[in-house]
Amino acid sequence: MAIEKDTEMKEAAGATQKENYGKKDVGKKKFKNGKPVVEEEELSEEDLELKSRLELFVERVQDSDAGVQGVALDGIGKEVREATTSMTSVPKPLKFLRKHYPGLVQHFKTLSDSSPNFHKYADVLSVLAITSAGEGEHRPSLRFRLQGSQDDIVSWGHEYLRNLAGEIGEEYQSRREAEGSVDDLLALVKQIAPHHMAHNAEPEAVDLLLEAKQLAWLKQYVDEKNYSRTCLYLLSCCAYLPEGDDVTVLRTAYDIYTHMSKWQDALRVALQMNDRSLIEEAFKHASSSRVEQQQQGYLLARQGVRLELEDESSSTHVADEALRESLQGIVGNARLSEWYLALARDLDVMEPRTPDDVYKLHLAEGRQPAGPAVDSARQNMSSSLVNGLVNAGFGQDKLMTVTTEASTSGSDRVHWVFKNKDQGKTVAVASLGLITLWDVGGGLAQIDKYLYSKDPHVVAGALLGVGIINSSVADENDPAFALLYEPMNSSDPVIRSGAILGLALAYAGTGKMEVNDLLLPLVGDTDASMETSALAALALGLTHVASAQEDAVEAILQALMMRSETELADPWAKLLVLGLALLFLGKQEAVEATIEVAKTLNEKISQFCQVSLTACAFAGTGDVLKVQELLGLASQHIETEDSTAWKAAHQGPAVMGIALVAMAEDLGGRMAHRALEHLLQYGDPPIRRSVPLAIALLHVSEPSIGAVDTLSRLSHDADSEVAQNALVALGILRSLSSYYYKEPTMLFLVRAVQGLVHMGKGLLTLHPRHTDGQLLSWVGLASLLTVMFSSLEMKATIGGKHPHLIYCLAPAMRPRMLLTLDEQEQLLPVAVRVGQAVDTVAQAGRPKTITGFQTHTTPVLLSVGERAELGTQKYVPVTPVLEGIVILKPNHEYIDTAD
């Protein structure tokens, strides 16, 4: 066997030698003077003929006879234009002419502008410069093109135009800085951009027009075939552009959508810009179609934008009474509870769940160390909160909702409220509002009896519950205002606080001016406690979020100026500042004047106010410069003692601001997460305490492995404040309940967070981004920030006497569903494909938009990062984004193959 193997190896070696026979120095490089010598490859007969022909043309180009010279230039131009090659190699004419390029340039310099072949010569050199120009040459292709003819440049091919476009962008920037004329460059742009748009190179056209500051030209180049890809690229790149350019890009996308009569898309862009006039314009233009306006109504409801439909002087007035009533119900989320319960029934999760179902204590038994009993009042308060969260929106539970049997027998269900103490009663009664979330009629009927209690904590809970029920819902009778108006003037601070928070939740994002009459006096009243003024300012911020409402801004600034130094050191002063910051949420440069005023405030609050305003004003913009500015503030090492802790107070909002600004897109979010990891490792305690909250902002309702791992580690941190904030940010494991069994505050937070994890039995989300991640709900983000800022002073707020501040998450709660309706607004179950969203920006052809999909029948659940496609051609969706509530129209071109 060994002999046979040896023979086979020798035969194989001999065959290899035969294959290489005649080949010289295979695989070896030759060197001359220490440098490798590039050997010329063997050319085919066709290539040799082409090479000799081009060399003849080069020789004749330098002839003194203008006629001979012109024919030679035409010959070179023809060969270059007709050259066919792959995208990965240089065309052969350009390769063969490369060594002749320096000589041709030198000869060209001897010609005068009046020479008959001057322009033609420059055209040829402009093309040759793509591959032949030396490193020291300054934009040679563009330089020769400007000396040549200015017409028919597209005949030289796509690669030439791409190279020319790049040089045009650089030259335009250079001339603008020198304040020179750019007319000749714009003449070239007018030829290149339409060619790109007509040949599936929309991103190149957008980039060129963006660099030349001429995006307005784009609208005239779009058509039915390319508008979608063009706008998709515009919307995706706006997050990476500097301030000013991003608004220009969004406005261009809006103009294109309106030009193509795509009103759903136009409204999406208008909402992204937060421009009231454009929102109303897009809504008005869709009035020709009933279902178009109804679909727009569902999007407005999700974003929390209300329009004047009854006022005849308004541009959004709807004359048709039936349509107006329908739109008022849609925009006001009148049927949101109905759709949510339809989803729950379809998924068979209507059965109420108890706190014990969430805690799963039977799994923790045996591992929990023996010790003193947990404070039962605090335990019952936890159960109330968890019960409200897990049964949110279902209208029934096993603790708070009263059945006929319970009312007659006097069982514990009726008296669960009174098994709590003080703020525990507030939490328990308010949880009833969460259980009947969005059901105004049914919820108010159940909570009404608690409004007449003699216990102020019960009344405060009922008032807060009224606000929770009416959160995100507009009722034509406006019962919330009627019920909350009188308690706002109560002499009892507990009742008044409940009424203020109820008002904040009921009218979050509505901009209701009547609320100002109740809240402004409380904000400016220096005799009122800081708690009352802070809650009133917070309510103003939530009501007028992202509007920079002048009266509210002036009132809060005045309050900050009038308060004493001792009062400004109070933990509630931070919520006073938050109320001001929420008014400027996403307003960018509009906040600058207010920041200048904030610089004049007392030093104990001034820096905190400035940083909070900056962070909120640039939330969701992805502004790299602002991230760097906030990162610089968060990286500072500040020596503090107990009496000077206020010096580092601004670092908390600076850390959260990094996440706020970077949450615009995935790449920025990942980079921000890495920066936060460094702050966690090297930062001082005030910084480390804010990092869990910042990580939570980057991953709201999106438990990525990295975020969960980091927060799980921090939940066991030696610094109790870091651990508390990690718990609020996380909502994780039952094992934590045994870990913190001796610490009532920590255990309460563990329980509360378990309730958040099981919120709405998994049917609800807190994620502020929606509509395929394009829109950021300012109301939802403001709700999250309220809890986040409260967590900066955990002992004074959520972990102390105000655990009910967790209910400020109510306006951020939304069903994470896709529900399809017919044109009569009735449920229409259809097949849909649900899978992981795929980024298709600037990709050629028609790439798949989802991957790893499964086919379901609506209604279905959608997680963060998932996307849905219609699984049948029988219907056509009114909106291109299948998320939330979508109206379907019959496809008249559909032919049922079964028939």
Side-chain angles (χ1 to χ4, degrees):
M1 292 293 294
I3 296 173
E4 290 176 1
K5 286 184 177 180
D6 187 56
T7 305
E8 290 174 2
M9 292 174 65
K10 288 181 179 179
E11 289 177 354
T16 305
Q17 288 177 355
K18 287 179 182 179
E19 289 175 4
N20 293 331
Y21 182 77
K23 296 182 179 179
K24 298 179 180 179
D25 300 327
V26 175
K28 294 182 179 180
K29 291 184 177 180
K30 292 186 177 181
F31 292 83
K32 184 177 181 180
N33 298 328
K35 296 182 179 180
V37 178
V38 180
E39 295 185 1
E40 292 188 7
E41 59 179 307
E42 295 184 7
L43 302 177
S44 64
E45 292 183 6
E46 292 181 358
D47 290 348
L48 285 171
E49 183 182 349
L50 174 62
K51 184 178 179 182
S52 60
R53 189 161 62 247
L54 289 171
E55 288 176 348
L56 179 61
F57 286 147
V58 169
E59 184 180 337
R60 291 184 175 178
V61 162
Q62 302 178 48
D63 195 287
S64 57
D65 188 334
V68 174
Q69 193 180 69
V71 172
L73 288 170
D74 289 338
I76 293 175
K78 181 181 178 183
E79 293 293 348
V80 172
R81 285 188 179 97
E82 293 179 353
T84 56
T85 183
S86 68
M87 295 293 289
T88 57
S89 62
V90 179
K92 288 182 178 178
L94 294 181
K95 185 185 294 185
F96 295 150
L97 290 169
R98 185 180 294 169
K99 64 181 181 180
H100 301 290
Y101 174 76
L104 291 173
V105 172
Q106 291 300 322
H107 180 258
F108 175 74
K109 290 179 179 178
T110 63
L111 301 180
S112 64
D113 296 356
S114 58
S115 174
N117 295 312
F118 181 83
H119 300 301
K120 195 181 296 184
Y121 207 147
D123 291 347
V124 171
L125 288 176
S126 177
V127 179
L128 296 183
I130 299 176
T131 59
S132 307
E135 293 182 3
E137 292 195 58
H138 189 64
R139 294 189 274 278
S141 189
L142 176 61
R143 188 177 76 248
F144 286 124
R145 169 50 58 188
L146 294 175
Q147 291 176 297
S149 58
Q150 299 296 311
D151 54 351
D152 196 27
I153 63 173
V154 298
S155 63
W156 292 101
H158 183 70
E159 288 301 317
Y160 171 68
L161 293 180
R162 288 185 62 187
N163 179 76
L164 195 60
E167 295 188 3
I168 288 173
E170 295 175 8
E171 181 68 17
Y172 185 93
Q173 184 67 24
S174 177
R175 292 195 193 180
R176 274 299 182 201
E177 292 175 358
E179 299 184 356
S181 174
V182 293
D183 293 343
D184 52 348
L185 298 179
L186 296 181
L188 295 175
V189 172
K190 285 184 178 179
Q191 295 186 64
I192 298 174
H195 181 270
H196 280 333
M197 291 295 292
H199 292 80
N200 301 317
E202 296 89 351
E204 284 94 337
V206 171
D207 289 342
L208 177 59
L209 292 172
L210 194 59
E211 290 177 342
K213 310 294 183 187
Q214 301 298 332
L215 264 184
W217 293 356
L218 193 59
K219 187 169 76 170
Q220 61 186 309
Y221 304 140
V222 296
D223 55 31
E224 193 67 33
K225 296 178 181 178
N226 61 24
Y227 85 90
S228 179
R229 280 168 49 86
T230 302
C231 289
L232 182 62
Y233 184 73
L234 285 170
L235 295 175
S236 64
C237 72
C238 74
Y240 303 98
L241 295 172
E243 188 180 343
D245 285 352
D246 55 349
V247 178
T248 304
V249 164
L250 290 174
R251 182 56 199 255
T252 303
Y254 175 84
D255 290 340
I256 291 173
Y257 280 135
T258 54
H259 177 64
M260 302 304 299
S261 300
K262 303 296 179 181
W263 308 119
Q264 302 297 331
D265 297 306
L267 180 62
R268 280 210 324 272
V269 178
L271 288 170
Q272 188 173 352
M273 297 172 70
N274 197 21
D275 189 316
R276 185 82 182 184
S277 61
L278 295 183
I279 293 170
E280 293 176 353
E281 181 183 320
F283 184 80
K284 178 184 176 183
H285 282 305
S287 59
S288 58
S289 170
R290 177 188 179 90
V291 292
E292 284 270 359
Q293 279 201 318
Q294 288 176 327
Q295 185 64 66
Q296 285 187 334
Y298 285 116
L299 181 56
L300 291 170
R302 177 63 183 89
Q303 185 68 0
V305 176
R306 308 283 169 85
L307 298 178
E308 288 291 338
L309 303 178
E310 292 187 6
D311 187 358
E312 295 184 5
S313 63
S314 172
S315 61
T316 55
H317 171 67
V318 178
D320 186 336
E321 185 176 351
L323 177 59
R324 183 171 66 246
E325 290 180 1
S326 172
L327 287 172
Q328 284 175 329
I330 291 171
V331 175
N333 279 319
R335 299 181 68 183
L336 182 57
S337 177
E338 177 187 338
W339 302 136
Y340 176 61
L341 292 176
L343 170 70
R345 279 190 290 270
D346 188 79
L347 298 176
D348 195 20
V349 291
M350 287 295 293
E351 182 67 24
R353 294 180 65 182
T354 64
D356 288 342
D357 294 334
V358 175
Y359 301 158
K360 293 183 172 59
L361 292 176
H362 62 283
L363 298 177
E365 288 176 4
R367 294 180 298 149
Q368 190 161 297
V374 177
D375 180 4
S376 60
R378 183 66 70 101
Q379 189 175 19
N380 287 350
M381 183 170 68
S382 303
S383 296
S384 298
L385 182 59
V386 172
N387 179 64
L389 288 169
V390 74
N391 296 299
F394 286 85
Q396 55 181 338
D397 74 319
K398 295 183 179 180
L399 292 182
M400 288 299 299
T401 50
V402 180
T403 61
T404 305
E405 182 183 5
S407 62
T408 56
S409 63
S411 71
D412 289 343
R413 292 182 184 176
V414 178
H415 305 292
W416 172 259
V417 171
F418 302 103
K419 295 178 73 173
N420 294 272
K421 294 180 181 178
D422 299 337
Q423 62 265 21
K425 295 177 182 178
T426 304
V427 171
V429 178
S431 72
L432 186 57
L434 204 56
I435 293 165
T436 55
L437 185 66
W438 307 318
D439 182 10
V440 177
L444 292 180
Q446 294 196 50
I447 212 167
D448 181 66
K449 58 180 174 291
Y450 297 106
L451 291 169
Y452 307 104
S453 172
K454 294 182 180 179
D455 189 324
H457 289 95
V458 173
V459 176
L463 295 170
L464 180 55
V466 169
I468 294 171
I469 292 170
N470 287 272
S471 175
S472 307
V473 177
D475 189 280
E476 58 181 356
N477 298 318
D478 203 5
F481 196 81
L483 291 170
L484 297 170
Y485 179 84
E486 193 172 327
M488 286 291 294
N489 301 314
S490 172
S491 58
D492 191 308
V494 175
I495 293 177
R496 189 163 55 182
S497 295
I500 293 171
L501 269 180
L503 207 63
L505 300 185
Y507 296 102
T510 62
K512 189 179 178 69
M513 296 306 296
E514 289 85 345
V515 172
N516 286 20
D517 299 334
L518 300 177
L519 295 175
L520 289 176
L522 293 176
V523 173
D525 185 1
T526 54
D527 295 330
S529 66
M530 276 300 292
E531 177 189 334
T532 300
S533 290
L535 289 176
L538 182 61
L540 278 175
L542 283 168
T543 303
H544 300 287
V545 62
S547 67
Q549 212 275 326
E550 292 183 11
D551 294 340
V553 172
E554 290 177 10
I556 297 175
L557 282 174
Q558 189 70 23
L560 289 169
M561 291 176 183
M562 298 295 291
R563 291 288 180 170
S564 67
E565 186 173 302
T566 306
E567 289 174 316
L568 292 177
D570 189 283
W572 287 99
K574 293 179 179 177
L575 288 185
L576 193 69
V577 170
L578 176 62
L580 177 64
L582 292 181
L583 294 169
F584 290 96
L585 201 60
K587 301 303 284 185
Q588 299 192 39
E589 70 277 0
V591 78
E592 291 175 359
T594 307
I595 290 178
E596 291 301 316
V597 177
K599 292 178 181 178
T600 66
L601 298 175
N602 186 283
E603 62 178 357
K604 288 196 173 181
I605 202 69
S606 176
Q607 186 77 344
F608 185 91
C609 187
Q610 292 175 52
V611 176
S612 299
L613 284 167
T614 301
C616 288
F618 290 88
T621 61
D623 192 315
V624 178
L625 296 178
K626 292 301 174 185
V627 172
Q628 291 176 340
E629 178 185 331
L630 293 168
L631 197 55
L633 291 170
S635 303
Q636 294 174 355
H637 176 67
I638 302 173
E639 296 286 348
T640 61
E641 299 175 359
D642 290 343
S643 60
T644 59
W646 55 268
K647 291 182 179 180
H650 67 279
Q651 292 185 312
V655 173
M656 287 195 289
I658 295 169
L660 265 178
V661 177
M663 67 190 298
E665 36 79 36
D666 293 338
L667 179 60
R670 290 197 296 271
M671 294 178 70
H673 190 111
R674 290 174 60 185
L676 292 171
E677 290 280 4
H678 288 298
L679 291 176
L680 196 59
Q681 189 172 0
Y682 302 109
D684 294 331
I687 298 170
R688 295 185 76 249
R689 290 165 190 161
S690 305
V691 169
L693 302 175
I695 292 175
L697 274 176
L698 289 173
H699 301 278
V700 177
S701 297
E702 184 187 3
S704 67
I705 295 174
V708 170
D709 180 58
T710 302
L711 293 173
S712 178
R713 186 174 73 250
L714 293 177
S715 64
H716 298 77
D717 198 88
D719 187 331
S720 62
E721 292 186 47
V722 173
Q724 287 172 351
N725 287 348
L727 288 174
V728 171
L730 179 61
I732 184 171
L733 304 171
R734 71 182 73 91
S735 60
L736 287 171
S737 62
S738 57
Y739 186 79
Y740 287 118
Y741 79 102
K742 284 186 177 181
E743 301 178 41
T745 301
M746 298 295 284
L747 187 56
F748 166 72
L749 290 174
V750 171
R751 296 304 191 204
V753 164
Q754 283 181 303
L756 288 174
V757 172
H758 293 81
M759 186 174 64
K761 302 173 191 172
L763 306 190
L764 296 176
T765 181
L766 295 173
H767 202 281
R769 285 209 165 273
H770 61 97
T771 315
D772 211 8
Q774 183 180 339
L775 296 181
L776 181 63
S777 170
W778 301 119
V779 177
L781 184 58
S783 302
L784 291 169
L785 287 175
T786 302
V787 176
M788 297 293 183
F789 270 69
S790 300
S791 300
L792 291 175
E793 296 288 348
M794 185 71 75
K795 293 178 182 177
T797 56
I798 296 173
K801 295 184 177 180
H802 297 81
H804 50 272
L805 282 173
I806 289 182
Y807 288 128
C808 288
L809 292 173
M813 295 179 186
R814 282 293 188 278
R816 55 184 190 93
M817 66 180 181
L818 167 61
L819 187 141
T820 48
L821 307 177
D822 60 18
E823 294 179 276
Q824 285 71 45
E825 294 187 82
Q826 300 301 314
L827 287 173
L828 178 62
V830 296
V832 291
R833 293 186 288 268
V834 179
Q836 197 67 27
V838 177
D839 186 6
T840 60
V841 177
Q843 291 189 12
R846 295 183 179 179
K848 299 291 184 182
T849 57
I850 59 174
T851 184
F853 63 83
Q854 292 182 327
T855 303
H856 302 279
T857 302
T858 57
V860 296
L861 293 179
L862 292 178
S863 299
V864 174
E866 287 187 340
R867 186 179 291 159
E869 289 181 350
L870 211 56
T872 175
Q873 296 181 354
K874 188 175 181 180
Y875 298 97
V876 178
V878 177
T879 174
V881 180
L882 299 189
E883 191 175 312
I885 300 174
V886 177
I887 300 176
L888 303 180
K889 297 189 296 185
N891 184 2
H892 299 296
E893 297 180 1
Y894 174 75
I895 300 175
D896 194 341
T897 53
D899 294 340

